[in-house]
Amino acid sequence: MYYVSETDMLKAMRMALYDEVVRTPGYIQGDNFTGLTDFVTLLSNHFPVLSFTNDIRRSKRTTSTILKNSERARLVFIHMREYLESRRNRRMVSVDDYKRQFENVERVYANPFPTNSSWQHCKGTTPMFRGYTCGLWTTFHALTVHTYIDTIKNTNVNPLKPLKSIQGWVKGFFGCQHCKRHFMNMTTNIFPMTERRIRHPHDMMTYLWRAHNIVNNRLHGDPTEDPQFIKMQFPPPFLCPTCHSGGQFSRRQVRNFLLRYYGSIKPHNRLADRRLAFF
């Protein structure tokens, strides 16, 4: 019932970088340009392309699966990063030009984003529930976890940067306006995204985990809550018994859980895509 889906992340990122961005009127410029460039850079460096099976923290990681679609998606992100970087001095690009570039690049890399596939773990009871927002949160968490994994031996990593990149995209492009307002209020006022809170590499994972639980608490009982997927404090005891101790979360155990959970990704079923194309 609970798992991380490559399909969900790819669908969400295609919507985030294409559908959301091309709604911008005229030009992507100024802070929005910087926010988009930073987020695409994060994706180009740390979007998951491998699924791990055992304890990553103990450096005995075994690659169980190469995420083929995500490998190609990473190439799209790299190409789009280079495209945006080449325009960084002007801090501006026309939406039409960006749209053409994205469409051309995803075609070059054989359309890695399964736009016609159904949501997997993020599928709601009805289409009004979960879906895209679930895919966004899943990807945001996976990005913090895989940034941590990818930079575990880098003593100069800035753990605040990935979170700020996510925040920058939300501020500039997230189409759900009340979601955006709540997210920005949470990350600037209620639970500020600051260097004081995010000093160590693992803090980027635990900050987003705590922030998401604040959101879950706020939305519990809300009309947007899927009745089959009640908003609860994550991870629940049935997913991670050791994460709970005396009515509190064990931060260390939660960190280990996040590494296991977001490190093990269910690959996209490309055979299902072929069946869809056939029919």
Side-chain angles (χ1 to χ4, degrees):
M1 185 177 179
Y2 284 86
Y3 61 92
V4 176
S5 161
E6 180 188 17
T7 305
D8 290 347
M9 292 194 291
L10 289 169
K11 281 175 67 68
M13 286 305 96
R14 210 291 183 158
M15 294 173 73
L17 295 185
Y18 185 82
D19 299 36
E20 299 275 42
V21 174
V22 302
R23 279 202 290 262
T24 306
Y27 290 87
I28 304 158
Q29 55 191 326
D31 289 345
N32 284 354
F33 178 89
T34 302
L36 178 60
T37 304
D38 289 347
F39 186 61
V40 171
T41 299
L42 174 63
L43 290 168
S44 71
N45 290 331
H46 301 298
F47 188 78
V49 294
L50 298 173
S51 180
F52 303 111
T53 53
N54 59 5
D55 194 346
I56 297 160
R57 282 183 63 83
R58 301 187 187 283
S59 301
K60 295 178 181 177
R61 63 190 193 187
T62 301
T63 304
S64 60
T65 309
I66 296 173
L67 303 170
K68 297 291 182 66
N69 277 58
S70 292
E71 274 195 323
R72 301 202 318 275
R74 180 87 81 93
L75 293 172
V76 173
F77 302 145
I78 290 169
H79 192 111
M80 293 306 296
R81 179 196 71 203
E82 292 170 349
Y83 163 78
L84 292 167
E85 286 283 1
S86 70
R87 289 153 178 79
R88 194 183 272 276
N89 287 341
R90 288 183 293 166
R91 295 183 75 207
M92 182 175 71
V93 63
S94 79
V95 172
D96 287 343
D97 191 46
Y98 175 91
K99 182 173 183 283
R100 279 193 301 271
Q101 187 73 15
F102 194 97
E103 289 172 352
N104 289 339
V105 173
E106 68 175 348
R107 193 159 48 243
V108 166
Y109 293 112
N111 299 300
F113 305 101
T115 54
N116 294 323
S117 294
S118 299
W119 296 104
Q120 300 298 304
H121 171 257
C122 286
K123 185 175 183 178
T125 307
T126 68
M128 70 172 286
F129 295 124
R130 307 184 81 228
Y132 175 47
T133 53
C134 168
L136 281 179
W137 273 113
T138 300
T139 309
F140 294 164
H141 285 294
L143 284 168
T144 62
V145 168
H146 285 262
T147 299
Y148 176 80
I149 294 168
D150 295 342
T151 61
I152 202 162
K153 294 181 180 178
N154 182 356
T155 56
N156 296 317
V157 67
N158 177 1
L160 189 58
K161 190 172 182 180
L163 294 168
K164 286 293 186 182
S165 299
I166 290 167
Q167 186 190 52
W169 176 86
V170 171
K171 182 179 180 181
F173 300 100
F174 194 15
C176 173
Q177 294 303 311
H178 72 273
C179 305
K180 178 193 297 189
R181 284 194 299 272
H182 281 300
F183 185 89
M184 294 306 298
N185 183 47
M186 177 184 64
T187 56
T188 55
N189 298 316
I190 297 171
F191 187 48
M193 190 185 284
T194 61
E195 289 182 355
R196 185 176 65 82
R197 277 200 170 89
I198 305 145
R199 289 178 291 178
H200 308 290
H202 59 74
D203 291 338
M204 65 180 118
M205 298 187 295
T206 53
Y207 173 87
L208 200 64
W209 160 70
R210 289 183 65 192
H212 198 171
N213 273 340
I214 291 171
V215 174
N216 285 341
N217 188 57
R218 179 176 60 81
L219 293 179
H220 181 59
D222 189 84
T224 61
E225 182 180 51
D226 190 325
Q228 297 300 314
F229 290 88
I230 300 299
K231 300 289 185 185
M232 63 181 77
Q233 295 300 284
F234 189 85
F238 66 82
L239 262 188
C240 183
T242 59
C243 291
H244 298 260
S245 177
Q248 301 290 324
F249 278 113
S250 163
R251 297 284 183 84
R252 182 178 178 183
Q253 292 299 327
V254 167
R255 286 201 303 269
N256 292 341
F257 169 81
L258 293 172
L259 285 164
R260 291 193 305 271
Y261 187 76
Y262 291 100
S264 179
I265 299 166
K266 183 179 179 181
H268 173 63
N269 183 353
R270 290 187 291 166
L271 290 176
D273 280 354
R274 293 194 188 103
R275 286 196 293 271
L276 282 170
F278 179 78
F279 289 109

